[in-house]
Amino acid sequence: MALKDIHFFSEDIDFSIKNKKKIREWIAAVIKQEGFRRIGELSFVFCSDAYLLEINRQYLAHDTYTDIVTFDSSQDGNTIAGDVFISVDRTRENAIKFGVSQTDELHRVLIHGILHLCGYQDKDKGDKSRMRAKEDEALSLRGFV
């Protein structure tokens, strides 16, 4: 797994994720556990609610706030690649709403994007339940906080 292909950016906000090396290792472990052999270009873009709302409108025709939008650019079934946009505003609000730390909520959303790239969906109740279980499983693999 090529950890060097996992990138972190910020758009329209001043934000930098902590523990980048450990997060890259954790992401790679989750991807490997899901049966994928390679990581292609994988970009996480941390942004504001307004920025992500515009992406949601422009590319998905959704006029709603969200915490994450994931674009899959994988070329084959063995490689994970894509762009994951995460609203830092929304993850902060959700951390308060759900009574968890901002770090835990950010990590949950980050791995949620990875799980989408692995093929998991969250459109119906059953899918949401499976997704939540996979998020919990992945969070338990972190080994850091």
Side-chain angles (χ1 to χ4, degrees):
M1 296 271 167
L3 300 181
K4 66 178 178 52
D5 292 326
I6 302 172
H7 307 283
F8 303 102
F9 304 99
S10 64
E11 285 292 334
D12 87 330
I13 60 169
D14 183 24
F15 179 81
S16 180
I17 195 161
K18 295 175 176 65
N19 296 317
K20 288 179 186 175
K21 182 177 188 274
K22 289 180 181 181
I23 290 173
R24 284 183 179 103
E25 291 167 351
W26 171 52
I27 289 169
V30 170
I31 290 170
K32 184 176 182 181
Q33 182 173 309
E34 289 298 321
F36 294 88
R37 292 190 299 207
R38 290 188 304 279
I39 297 173
E41 287 292 317
L42 188 55
S43 297
F44 292 90
V45 181
F46 301 98
C47 58
S48 69
D49 268 349
Y51 189 91
L52 195 52
L53 177 61
E54 187 53 36
I55 287 174
N56 214 7
R57 286 174 176 156
Q58 183 176 354
Y59 295 99
L60 302 175
H62 298 156
D63 193 17
T64 58
Y65 288 107
T66 187
D67 52 4
I68 186 168
V69 172
T70 305
F71 296 101
D72 190 344
S73 60
S74 303
Q75 297 292 319
D76 66 64
N78 294 316
T79 304
I80 293 287
D83 297 314
V84 179
F85 292 83
I86 297 173
S87 168
V88 174
D89 297 332
R90 189 76 17 222
T91 59
R92 286 179 180 146
E93 279 188 33
N94 286 343
I96 293 166
K97 177 180 173 182
F98 301 130
V100 298
S101 74
Q102 290 180 10
T103 299
D104 281 350
E105 184 62 15
L106 184 67
H107 288 175
R108 179 177 297 281
V109 172
L110 189 148
I111 213 65
H112 182 92
I114 292 296
L115 292 169
H116 273 308
L117 294 174
C118 290
Y120 293 93
Q121 300 300 318
D122 57 2
K123 297 293 183 203
D124 63 36
K125 191 174 182 177
D127 287 346
K128 287 179 184 178
S129 179
R130 278 187 290 284
M131 178 69 87
R132 180 53 68 134
K134 293 304 283 185
E135 290 169 3
D136 290 342
E137 181 182 335
L139 287 168
S140 73
L141 297 175
R142 272 186 301 187
F144 68 96
V145 177

